[in-house]
Amino acid sequence: MREPRGNGADVGAGLPDGPLLSIDTSTASMTMALTDGDEVLLERTTDAERNHSVKLLPEIDELVRSAGLRPRDVRAVAVGRGPGSYTGVRIGVTMAKTFAWALGLPVYGVSSLEALAYGGWRDALVGTTAVEAPAWIVPALDARRGQAYTALFAAPEAGGWGRLSADAVVPFQGQVEAWLRAADRPGTVVFVGEVAGGFADMLDAAASGAQAVVLRRPWAMAARDVAAVARLRGESALVRDPHDLLPNYAQLAEAEAKLVAANEAAEREKARERD
């Protein structure tokens, strides 16, 4: 099949020729790949949620050497910026920017949710005869308490691809119901990612009476999809200075949220005292 293409507002200049190292640690999977254009040279994915910080650098070194390359043969780095696991996202972004800075390489930051959606959509096109464009694609990662990290993407035509909403953490069932009731919703909506378990029940409930083809495609994060989205977004994903590459958490961590709330409460108390 043809690679999806982004709309003109999203696509920039291409990436440098040669091997691209891509990384994502936003989920329980630690995934990394070496690609050259559309070709996947080597990819490794391991379940190392509590050991990303210990295993990531040795795994990158092993990946590069197993591909018959040296670190200086890599021409660029792409990383999933999240949202997802706070600790995981921080580790992946920090490693990518450090690797890029140390070797003087360009670094590209992409949405982990977009990579998840992009990979799941391509898999659905290959593996399910009921799937065709136009369609909406909804990635989902469990954010607990009935919430999900999610966004909305569109494949308006064969080979097309675009973003319709920003990455966010939302009550999942309510958001799904709103999207399925949207007047401009296409006839097919594909949910990809962590769409089994509790999310499956939410999706089944929301899809009831939606008069649409609603499909669930469990799909794991894959570094090759991070690389594909980096190619798709091009210069718009380029971070000019690696030190400026930042994670996208989509919400404050619990400790940060408590600190903000405490500061706001203190400011309100000061205002009352002044009055």
Side-chain angles (χ1 to χ4, degrees), residues 121 130-137 155-156 179-180 182-191 207 210-215:
W121 171 241
V131 174
E132 60 182 18
W136 281 357
I137 302 91
W179 279 334
L180 290 179
D184 58 344
R185 186 214 68 216
T188 300
V189 182
V190 183
F191 292 86
Q211 296 183 337
V213 177
V214 179
L215 300 175

Side-chain angles (χ1 to χ4, degrees), residues 13-72:
L15 275 65
D17 293 334
L20 168 71
L21 171 67
S22 55
I23 302 165
D24 193 282
T25 56
S26 64
T27 69
S29 297
M30 182 176 69
T31 180
M32 61 193 71
L34 283 166
T35 57
D36 192 344
D38 293 340
E39 181 184 2
V40 179
L41 304 178
L42 196 61
E43 183 176 37
R44 287 184 178 171
T45 299
T46 59
D47 187 357
E49 185 174 17
R50 298 186 181 277
N51 294 296
H52 286 339
S53 60
V54 175
K55 293 186 175 182
L56 185 55
L57 183 57
E59 290 284 349
I60 289 173
D61 183 68
E62 177 62 23
L63 179 80
V64 172
R65 297 186 187 284
S66 295
L69 302 173
R70 297 162 296 181
R72 65 174 177 267

